[in-house]
Amino acid sequence: MSEIPEDPFHRRLHHIAPADLDPETAQTSGMIRKAAISGATVGSQKLWMGQTHVAPGAISTDHHHGASETAIYVVSGTPSFVFLDMDGDEPRETRIDTRPGDYVFVPPFVPHREENPDPETEAIVVVARSTQEAIVINLPDLRWER
């Protein structure tokens, strides 16, 4: 009996329950990332999606995500996203304060950090990236040197 070759119309869907999220992914101090959709979990080739948990009062390490575009949806808490914005010739630290239901877009290579200013409530966000794995480059600060 010959095997039917796989085609785009005969592949299976994947269900990932919260208990099945994979913590074995790139990490940044001050937060915990868990993969749901990745090359390792479901064989995705162009997409990574997962959750990030930021503890009460935590501040992540400054970092960027390489060539990956990053979309963030705030599930709970009030996380802040900090980056350097150009104000004339001088960069200045800029904060985006969010709440549940908000979205944030992080362009490729933009250094940033997440903060959870709430001293009692964990912040949880859903993250989607345009690469199949979570690219994380931790940095000493928010400046980007070419």
Side-chain angles (χ1 to χ4, degrees), residues 84-92:
L84 290 182
D85 198 6
M86 291 304 290
D87 185 14
D89 291 333
E90 291 297 317
R92 74 179 156 81

Side-chain angles (χ1 to χ4, degrees), residues 118-138:
D118 190 314
E120 298 178 8
T121 306
E122 177 181 61
I124 300 174
V125 300
V126 170
V127 178
R129 294 214 181 92
S130 61
T131 54
Q132 69 156 343
E133 296 304 329
I135 299 168
V136 178
I137 290 80
N138 293 311

Side-chain angles (χ1 to χ4, degrees), residues 29-32 52-61 74 76-82 95-100 113-125:
S29 130
M31 56 184 17
I32 298 171
T52 300
H53 296 246
V54 184
I59 298 173
S60 78
T61 301
V74 180
S76 64
T78 55
S80 298
F81 300 85
V82 182
R95 298 175 62 80
I96 298 173
D97 296 321
T98 66
R99 62 183 190 191
R113 72 175 170 265
E114 285 84 21
E115 297 181 359
N116 183 357
D118 190 314
E120 298 178 8
T121 306
E122 177 181 61
I124 300 174
V125 300

